[in-house]
Amino acid sequence: MAIDRRHILAFGKIDTPFYFYDMDLFRRTVSGLASLSSRNGIKVHYAVKANTEERLLRHISSYGFGADCVSGNEVEYAVSCGFRPENTVFAGVGKSDREILSSLKLGIGTFNCESLQEIEVVDSLAASLGLTANVSVRINPDIDAHTHKYVTTGLYENKFGISRHEFEPLVELLGRCGSIRLHGLHFHIGSQITDVAEVYGLECRRASEIVRWFEDKGLVIANIDLGGGLGVDYDDPDGNPVADFSTWFRTISSELPLRPGQTVHVEPGRSVVAQCGTLVSRVLFVKSGETKTFLILDAGMNDLIRPALYGAYHKIENLSAMLSSESPADADASGSQIYDVVGPVCESSDVWGAGRLLPRSSRGDIIAIRSAGAYGQVMASRYNLRDLAPAVYSDDLAAAGGDL
Ligand code: LLP
C-alpha cells in the first residue's frame, strides 16, 4: 500500500509537518529481512540510530533481532523496547565510563571496541564489577564504500576502527586482558551503499584475510560483523520500496567463507526504515523571485536535516495535485513549473530541492518528502524553537477509517 487518495484526504485534516509511517510497507520490509536472513544463516542487529520510534522498535524486536546501539541511552532504550540485553551490541568510537558501566550492569551481548585504549578501559571497568565483557574489535579495513564522504567510515582517514599497524599490539593486549572475552571482529565501511555486489564483495574478501591473520595468531574469531550500510532508492521509492536484501545476503554468503562455528552478523538501519517514512508538509507561500519561483513549506531543515547536511536528494511530491487530477493526462493539463522548494528556517541551506519540476502548486497544498524514515525524526532539532514533527502511523489512519 503506497500513499493513496484516502491517506491524502486524512492528511488534509492533520497539522503539518508530521512524519507519516506506512506500517504495511514497514512490516513487509521487516518480514522480508527476517526470512532472507534466516535462510542465509545471517544474524541481524537493527541499527537503532536510524529510527527510534517505539512502535517500530517493538515490532523489530518481536522478530528476535538484536539491536546495534551507539550510546548508553540507546542501549537502555532498546532493551526497554523488547530487545534482549544479550542480543544488544554497543558500538561507537567514544563510549564514556558511565555508559560502559551501565551497559555492563545490563549484561549486554557485545561491546564493539574501536581503539586499544577503549579495550583497556572496558577490561578494567568489567574487572571492577567482577564481570567479563564480550568484546568485538572494530577493524578499519581501508575500503572505499563509493558513497558520500560524510557517511564513509572504513577508510584510514576516518576515525573508526583499528588499523593494520595496531594489529600486533592488539593481539598482545587481548592476551593480557583478564576481564574480556573476544567475541569477534567488526567491520563497517559506510552507509547508503548501492554498489552492493562490488563493495560488499570487496569487504567480505578483506574481512576474510583479516580474520585469517588473527586466527593464525591463535585467536578464535567466532563472530564476523559486517556492519550495515545497504542503500535504498531515494530516486524511486515506489519502484523499489524494499531494499535489495537478497543481493546483499547472496554476496555475503558467496564471498565470505565461514569455518564451522563461525557466524556472520549485519546491522542494517536505513534499509529497514527509510522507505516507510514520509515527511508531510504544506505549502505556506509561493513566491516569485527575480530568477526563480520559491515554494515555501512549513517543514524545515530542523525536521529533516539530510538535504542541508549532505546535499541529500529526497523525492518531493505534491499530494494535493495527485488528488485533484483524476488521470495523468489531467495532471499534465494542470501544468507544471520549476520551483526551488525551501523551508522556513533562517538558513540559506534550508532547501528541500532546487529546480524541481512539480505540478503548479498553491498555498495549502500538501507536499510529501519521501524516503524520510531513516535519519529523519531522530536527527530533528528544535532550532529556531520550532516544534518537533510528530509521528502519524498508517494503522491509526486505517483504524479511523481513513477519515480522522
Ligand atoms: N553500524 C554502524 C557501526 C554504523 O555506524 C551505522 C551507521 C550502521 C550500523 C547503520 O548503517 P545503515 O544501515 O543505516 O547504513 N545520518 C546519515 C547516516 C549515518 C550512518 C552512520 N552509521 C544519513 O542520513 O545518511
Side-chain angles (χ1 to χ4, degrees):
M1 177 192 70
I3 293 176
D4 62 22
R5 207 183 159 74
R6 213 170 38 99
H7 293 114
I8 304 171
L9 286 171
F11 292 170
K13 299 178 185 169
I14 305 173
D15 276 348
T16 46
F18 60 86
Y19 275 91
F20 172 70
Y21 291 105
D22 176 343
M23 296 301 281
D24 285 346
L25 174 57
F26 169 65
R27 285 186 283 260
R28 191 146 54 86
T29 307
V30 176
S31 72
L33 174 63
S35 60
L36 284 165
S37 59
S38 76
R39 207 175 306 153
N40 286 279
I42 292 174
K43 285 204 171 167
V44 174
H45 296 253
Y46 166 66
V48 170
K49 65 169 85 71
N51 189 310
T52 54
E53 279 301 288
E54 183 176 346
R55 259 200 227 197
L56 306 190
L57 294 201
R58 288 203 177 277
H59 184 73
I60 295 170
S61 66
S62 74
Y63 275 79
F65 291 140
D68 172 68
C69 303
V70 283
S71 71
N73 287 348
E74 277 194 4
V75 168
E76 283 169 28
Y77 184 66
V79 170
S80 78
C81 290
F83 291 96
R84 294 161 64 137
E86 63 272 27
N87 285 344
T88 300
V89 173
F90 185 7
V93 285
K95 306 174 185 73
S96 71
D97 292 14
R98 186 181 54 74
E99 291 176 309
I100 295 169
L101 282 167
S102 68
S103 296
L104 281 166
K105 287 178 193 157
L106 265 178
I108 66 159
T110 319
F111 289 84
N112 281 352
C113 290
E114 305 227 11
S115 63
L116 301 192
Q117 199 164 34
E118 183 191 339
I119 294 171
E120 284 176 324
V121 169
V122 171
D123 182 53
S124 77
L125 292 177
S128 74
L129 295 177
L131 297 171
T132 302
N134 280 333
V135 163
S136 272
V137 178
R138 180 164 177 178
I139 302 294
N140 185 322
D142 197 32
I143 289 179
D144 183 353
H146 301 175
T147 185
H148 192 287
K149 73 173 166 122
Y150 285 179
V151 294
T152 286
T153 58
L155 289 170
Y156 282 158
E157 68 198 54
N158 302 129
K159 66 182 173 184
F160 302 101
I162 292 176
S163 29
R164 194 169 273 277
H165 74 280
E166 289 198 304
F167 285 4
E168 294 276 2
L170 172 62
V171 173
E172 191 265 322
L173 172 65
L174 291 171
R176 270 193 286 122
C177 289
S179 297
I180 62 173
R181 186 184 305 115
L182 183 64
H183 181 76
L185 296 184
H186 175 225
F187 303 83
H188 178 88
I189 56 176
S191 194
Q192 184 52 17
I193 294 169
T194 50
D195 293 342
V196 180
E198 188 190 330
V199 171
Y200 284 104
L202 184 57
E203 185 188 22
C204 288
R205 291 190 294 279
R206 189 72 53 85
S208 276
E209 278 165 37
I210 295 172
V211 166
R212 212 170 317 119
W213 188 93
F214 281 99
E215 294 199 321
D216 286 348
K217 299 282 172 194
L219 298 180
V220 177
I221 309 298
N223 295 283
I224 305 170
D225 180 345
L226 293 174
L230 179 65
V232 301
D233 192 341
Y234 283 95
D235 295 321
D236 188 10
D238 292 323
N240 291 303
V242 179
D244 192 359
F245 297 121
S246 159
T247 304
W248 193 26
F249 294 149
R250 210 172 335 106
T251 305
I252 294 173
S253 301
S254 65
E255 301 283 355
L256 186 62
L258 300 177
R259 59 163 183 72
Q262 240 165 9
T263 309
V264 180
H265 300 238
V266 291
E267 307 157 353
R270 185 191 314 268
S271 51
V272 185
V273 290
Q275 298 293 33
C276 71
T278 297
L279 178 59
V280 181
S281 172
R282 271 189 177 79
V283 176
L284 288 175
F285 304 111
V286 184
K287 177 159 91 169
S288 145
E290 193 61 35
T291 57
K292 11 170 98 168
T293 304
F294 296 100
L295 212 55
I296 303 169
L297 307 189
D298 63 5
M301 63 191 282
N302 70 297
D303 298 305
L304 173 64
I305 203 172
R306 303 190 69 257
L309 191 58
Y310 314 116
Y313 176 89
H314 284 261
K315 188 170 182 190
I316 300 172
E317 291 171 336
N318 184 325
L319 298 183
S320 303
M322 283 162 65
L323 194 63
S324 60
S325 61
E326 293 304 325
S327 71
D330 289 348
D332 286 350
S334 72
S336 47
Q337 193 172 338
I338 292 186
Y339 297 101
D340 271 19
V341 186
V342 301
V345 171
C346 291
E347 298 277 347
S348 297
S349 57
D350 188 19
V351 176
W352 292 111
R356 295 288 183 99
L357 183 67
L358 289 172
R360 200 172 299 283
S361 304
S362 318
R363 173 169 165 81
D365 281 358
I366 298 175
I367 304 290
I369 297 163
R370 303 291 307 276
S371 313
Y375 306 110
Q377 235 188 319
V378 283
M379 292 177 80
S381 78
R382 293 212 53 211
Y383 185 40
N384 286 187
L385 271 190
R386 288 168 47 80
D387 291 327
L388 290 175
V392 170
Y393 299 95
S394 59
D395 289 348
D396 297 344
L397 292 188
D403 191 24
L404 287 186

